[in-house]
Amino acid sequence: MALRFEVLGRFNRARAAQLTLPHFACQTPLFMPVGTQGTIKGLTTDQLEEIGCQIILGNTYHLALRPTSELIDELGGLHKFMNWPRALLTDSGGFQMVSLLHLADITEKGVTFQSPVDGKPMLLTPEESIQIQNRIGADIIMALDDVVRTTITGPRIEEAMYRTLRWVDRCIAAHKRPHDQNLFGIVQGGLDPVLRDICVRGLVDRNLPGYAIGGLAGGEDKDSFWRVVAQCTAALPEDKPRYVMGVGYPLDIVVCSALGADMYDCVYPTRTARFGTALVPEGVLKLKHNAMVNDTRPIDPTCACMVCKNYTRAYIHCLVTKDAMGSQLLSYHNLYYMLQLSRNLHSSIVEGRFPEFVCDFLQKMFPKGDVPEWVCNAMDVAGIDISSCCSS
Amino acid sequence: MKFAVKALSSGKARAGVVHLGSCPSSIETPCLLLSTRKGLPIFISPDLLSSLPSPDSNLLQFSPLHLEVSKRCVNIGQEAGWGDTTPNFDSSEGPSPKTISSIGGLHQMVGLHEYGFAAVARDSIQCLPECGSTNKTGASFETPCGRRLIKPVEYMEMITSMKPNLWATLADEVPAWANNKRNKTSVDRTVKWLDECIARSPAGGAVFGSIVGGSNIEERKRCAQEVAVRNVSGYWIGGFGLGESMEERPSLLNAVTDNLPKDWPRMICGLGLPEEVLQGVAAGVDLFDSAYIYHLTIGGFALTFPLDRTEKIDYNYQLSDQGSDRTKINLRATVYRKDATPIVEDCCCYTCQNHTKAYINHLLNVHEMLAQILLEIHNTHHYLGFFRSIREAIKEGCFEQFQKKFVQSRREHLAADVVSV
Ligand SMILES: [Zn+2]
Ligand SMILES: [Zn+2]
């Protein structure tokens, strides 16, 4: 195990912790921006440090394709290759294959897919995924799991869950750098509480450095989503980090943190920036909208980032979706927003004012008091009284 | 704006200083104006801009037309070849002059308070003169948002709201192949617009009178003489980089500068390559607005020519170095795939201090925006160094030797390449 996880504060199920990884001591809850190809689109590593980014996520599938894990290894690992001194996490590559390639097929051996380079059939086994991730050298690596869409039902879910457990053993056996890299297991089981329970127990038995909740954020209804998170966080060990994969909407992060999750990742903040949308406490602000043409206010008057301190909505409006600088500046703001949200979650839990923070957050996002029912239900389970910001 | 010539070489090249109200310190000339799009460098965000040498990097070029109503604009993702380009956007507007005024002008709008802005309608990248559609009412430009005709009164409305430190009057620029009649018209119009612009010029902001005349020496001379008697604070030399040959350029440049008073700054647009800049400096030009860095960056090139003047300019690259033409390297070349060294070993720019050729090669391969950011930083840094060498050479009285040596050595190496191929 190459990490330390110290809980610094709690509020019911929510926790704020220090997660010490080989390259960085992180404060949780935390959001991890996605740097698919060894870069966060449009930002330098200095800027990422400046806005308080602690962990960057790299996509194994993309990196293995270009520049290849062998080259990254030869040049001293991904930290050195992209000059990022803080922590990195790589996914297993399986999810990317299943979601990006039409011809991916999963068997007991691994994920078979057609090479996007030469069209030849290729096989990604659990052993190979770990070998590639060992070469890339991230602080946290993910076990290869059998990914199924959350909207699928029936025996395929059960098969995938059991296969995920069998594969995790192959991943553990293949892991060559347990003293520098932390292998996280992924809880699967769809929306079925029984299967999720079996998977959590199975993974906990294997005593991994951390656990991820997978198979969510794939189009399932929100009520199912939070219930799976709540079930898994309740059953996972107190002294290990919990990572909800693919979650990145600010509201989802606040709810999951209230339920005891610690880590999140999503391409949403940077992708939406490139399409001209800013994240703000009220929700989103579409900078392309004609109403912005002569709006001389900053994107978010309460934001302390470089962009909000210097620029008007009118100016950003004429840059977005046309000039590189538009996506650079909006990505900067959006990531700042996500990282500031992480910091606020951490400090409000440590300082014992988490419920106030949650209410304040919900009030800004739902000024009319129309907080969605699933949020109310989840907060009830999390033991956070949000009645002051709900109208009914 | 204040300007003073501090040193002359044996020829006409001159070293001086320009002081602009918003810049905390004087900028030495000859100097490079950084290209911008809508007031910000194309890829270098404002926080990264401060990593470039100051005050050398504090003078920015700006085209007021960029903020005009823009329809069906080409997005930059297509230009640079990034993977997920956003769809072309149908109709969108820039802020109105009133809004720009209420924001407090250009400096305030782009958040660069300690920088100097030089406004010129043409930018050599996105806003090119289109002399066929220019008429007596205004100048026409080919822009990504279609053809735009700008009248002096509209242009002055933009200048008044944007408040650049200095601005060039509206010009009717013609390409090198324009006939004498068209050349004469272009001079007449440009001089007439000059008077119209001056009559509407706002307080503050130095007026640079535009000089045109295409490839006609007599018209160039006539235009310079007309502008020289007007009440301006500097001169903008237009109509270059529009098809004239390297050989005919010096006499055209001299026809202009020989007819201008010595104590006001001269700015030029359209000269970009190092040899072209040296031609301009040799004729006594002080400020260079150039699209060279932009074109290098978009092409994946990084400048590598030696900057140290005392060192014999010796491009000691191996002949097998496929990505190099000895002044620049193409980082897309596969030789850089595993190259763990910076672009230029002793370069102190952000890019070279933090990243390797291998990483930039990867970013280019996978169409990542950071490639252009890093390249624009290095190339700008490197070219500012080239201008510093030029100034030193002038101050030491050896600019002519510097120019000769530089051009000769490039030529020899190009010849050597041809032989070796
Ligand atoms: Zn902001
Ligand atoms: Zn450099």
Side-chain angles (χ1 to χ4, degrees), chain B residues 128-172:
Chain B
L128 297 163
E130 216 305 294
C131 82
S133 307
T134 292
N135 59 39
K136 64 179 188 229
T137 65
S140 178
F141 296 89
E142 201 66 73
T143 77
C145 319
R147 206 164 278 180
R148 274 291 275 144
L149 186 85
I150 303 288
K151 296 175 181 146
V153 56
E154 294 166 329
Y155 182 66
M156 290 316 298
E157 196 189 8
M158 297 180 204
I159 295 294
T160 306
S161 68
M162 292 167 189
K163 302 192 196 68
N165 300 76
L166 58 96
W167 54 276
T169 59
L170 200 61
D172 176 13

Side-chain angles (χ1 to χ4, degrees), chain B residues 303 342-353 374-375 377-379 381-382:
Chain B
L303 288 173
I343 296 167
V344 170
E345 203 62 64
D346 54 357
C347 179
C348 58
C349 83
Y350 173 81
T351 304
C352 293
Q353 291 293 308
L374 297 177
L375 284 175
I377 291 174
H378 169 80
N379 286 332
H381 187 99
H382 199 86

Side-chain angles (χ1 to χ4, degrees), chain A residues 37-39 41-47 50 63 66-68 71 74-75 81-83 274-275 288 290 293-294 296 306 310-312 314-315 317-319 321-325 327-329 332, chain B residues 37-38 40-41 43-48 67 70 73 75-76 82 84 86-87 89 92-96 99 102-103 108-110 337-338 350 354-355 358-359 362-363 365-366 368-370 373:
Chain A
Q37 327 219 50
T39 164
K41 290 191 191 303
L43 273 79
T44 64
T45 47
D46 267 22
Q47 288 177 315
E50 195 180 288
L63 293 168
R66 287 183 302 191
T68 73
L71 186 131
E74 197 181 323
L75 296 178
F81 184 64
M82 65 184 282
N83 192 32
R274 293 197 299 281
F275 288 88
K288 281 202 309 195
N290 278 335
V293 178
N294 293 305
T296 58
M306 174 267 288
N310 286 296
Y311 299 102
T312 57
Y315 184 60
H317 167 82
C318 78
L319 295 180
T321 75
K322 288 200 282 292
D323 296 294
M325 196 52 70
S327 57
Q328 290 180 38
L329 295 179
Y332 187 102
Chain B
R37 197 164 285 184
K38 296 169 186 168
L40 283 179
F43 301 106
I44 309 176
S45 60
D47 52 329
L48 297 169
L67 287 164
S70 46
C73 282
N75 87 54
I76 190 136
W82 299 318
D84 73 333
T86 51
F89 195 51
S92 162
E93 289 175 48
S96 68
T99 303
S102 76
I103 291 169
Q108 192 69 31
M109 184 172 69
V110 303
R337 221 173 87 81
K338 292 184 183 179
Y350 173 81
N354 289 285
H355 295 290
Y359 183 56
H362 163 69
L363 294 174
N365 279 335
V366 297
E368 280 285 354
M369 208 188 296
L370 186 57
I373 298 174

Side-chain angles (χ1 to χ4, degrees), chain A residues 83-249:
Chain A
N83 192 32
W84 175 244
R86 298 187 178 178
L88 285 169
L89 179 150
T90 46
D91 62 4
S92 67
F95 176 75
Q96 301 274 320
M97 284 178 189
V98 174
S99 59
L100 295 178
L101 303 173
H102 300 298
L103 297 164
D105 183 34
I106 299 170
T107 63
E108 192 57 30
K109 271 194 204 160
V111 185
T112 9
F113 63 102
Q114 207 175 17
S115 160
V117 180
D118 53 17
K120 283 188 195 137
M122 311 261 290
L123 175 70
L124 181 78
T125 60
E127 292 76 12
E128 206 180 352
S129 169
I130 296 301
Q131 193 189 12
I132 295 169
Q133 294 189 73
N134 280 163
R135 284 196 287 254
I136 294 172
D139 301 72
I140 298 171
I141 63 176
M142 302 303 297
L144 185 70
D145 54 346
D146 184 353
V147 186
V148 284
R149 295 194 191 282
T150 42
T151 44
I152 287 177
T153 49
R156 177 69 184 98
I157 300 284
E158 187 171 350
E159 180 195 40
M161 187 276 288
Y162 281 113
R163 184 171 286 151
T164 296
L165 282 177
R166 289 193 294 276
W167 282 3
V168 84
D169 290 324
R170 290 167 59 185
C171 289
I172 293 167
H175 186 16
K176 294 271 169 19
R177 302 176 59 188
H179 300 292
D180 322 299
Q181 294 183 285
N182 299 286
L183 174 65
F184 279 31
I186 304 171
V187 182
Q188 289 291 353
L191 305 178
D192 184 334
V194 177
L195 297 181
R196 286 277 176 183
D197 187 57
I198 297 168
C199 198
V200 169
R201 285 165 193 270
L203 289 174
V204 172
D205 282 346
R206 280 144 177 105
N207 192 28
L208 292 160
Y211 301 94
I213 303 167
L216 293 176
E220 71 283 355
D221 67 279
K222 285 292 186 185
D223 223 48
S224 310
F225 161 75
W226 78 259
R227 284 181 202 282
V228 170
V229 173
Q231 185 199 348
C232 295
T233 51
L236 287 166
E238 271 298 309
D239 57 348
K240 302 273 177 73
R242 305 157 182 168
Y243 160 31
V244 188
M245 298 175 85
V247 161
Y249 295 122

